[in-house]
Amino acid sequence: MKINIQDIDVHPIEMDDEISLEFISPLIREYYPNQATVHVHAEKIKKDVRVRIELLTRAHYTCDRCLDEFDVRFTARIEQQYHQGAGELLDEEIIRIAADAIEIDINPVISEMMLLNHPLKMLCKEECKGICPNCGAHLNHEECRCGERPIDPRWDELRKLLK
Ligand SMILES: [Zn+2]
Ligand SMILES: [Zn+2]
């Protein structure tokens, strides 16, 4: 996604766009298959362009506990400063752009904000009961079978013989 900064001296930028997130890091790309709505606000103060990005999409995760797949609303926001032309950068977070740049490609920043906001833990719900390690029962949907006494069919045959 690119923002045109030709008129930014006169008009701050306020724009919305629908983008696909194919360009984000391969480490997390599979979790964000849906279109994202991106809102961008940008303004120029002297030689600095300040960009605020807000992103909304539906993430597709796999629950760490029960392995169910689920969709969830994902939002992220970030502020990025760009410096146009030469001159000292006061902060290593600031990205330099050419003095005659007419647009800024914000995809690298979007990629970074996705990584920063990607959850370390994915849970389908806070109270997810997971899977019983013993019997494999999916405890959100069914009762654990561990409590039941195992019935071995061979005993039935033996009982018949004893009669
Ligand atoms: Zn779960
Ligand atoms: Zn069990």
Side-chain angles (χ1 to χ4, degrees):
M1 180 174 176
K2 288 176 177 157
I3 52 176
N4 187 316
I5 56 166
Q6 270 174 312
D7 296 328
I8 197 171
D9 285 318
V10 195
H11 308 289
I13 294 162
E14 197 84 52
M15 66 182 278
D16 290 288
D17 208 352
E18 286 267 316
I19 61 165
S20 122
L21 295 169
E22 287 162 344
F23 60 86
I24 65 173
S25 164
L27 292 174
I28 61 167
R29 195 180 297 150
E30 62 178 301
Y31 302 111
Y32 303 97
N34 299 307
Q35 291 280 104
T37 305
V38 180
H39 178 77
V40 174
H41 173 87
E43 60 188 346
K44 193 165 173 188
I45 299 161
K46 293 182 186 164
K47 297 272 183 198
D48 293 316
V49 180
R50 290 190 185 160
V51 182
R52 196 170 67 228
I53 305 168
E54 288 162 17
L55 180 145
L56 167 69
T57 187
R58 278 197 88 68
H60 185 77
Y61 295 151
T62 302
C63 179
D64 290 335
R65 274 188 210 153
C66 72
L67 306 179
D68 267 2
E69 293 184 13
F70 61 101
D71 281 3
V72 70
R73 184 185 146 93
F74 174 96
T75 59
R77 54 182 297 157
I78 200 168
E79 288 194 29
Q80 178 65 52
Q81 196 173 327
Y82 297 84
H83 184 83
Q84 202 160 17
E88 197 190 345
L89 299 184
L90 298 173
D91 185 330
E92 59 183 25
E93 302 275 299
I94 299 172
I95 299 172
R96 189 191 301 279
I97 51 173
D100 57 354
I102 55 169
E103 57 183 16
I104 300 176
D105 179 4
I106 59 168
N107 281 4
V109 174
I110 291 176
S111 193
E112 190 189 329
M113 77 195 272
M114 295 302 293
L115 275 173
L116 288 174
N117 288 278
H118 182 71
L120 293 174
K121 217 171 162 51
M122 297 174 191
L123 284 184
C124 64
K125 52 185 175 186
E126 203 55 56
E127 65 280 12
C128 171
K129 299 194 195 103
I131 293 173
C132 173
N134 238 341
C135 67
H138 192 314
L139 302 175
N140 292 337
H141 308 311
E142 56 184 343
E143 291 290 317
C144 170
R145 293 182 288 268
C146 292
E148 292 170 15
R149 192 180 298 168
I151 298 159
D152 190 331
R154 281 172 301 177
W155 290 113
D156 288 335
E157 292 304 309
L158 193 62
R159 241 175 255 131
K160 272 180 216 155
L161 292 174
L162 290 174
K163 266 179 200 165

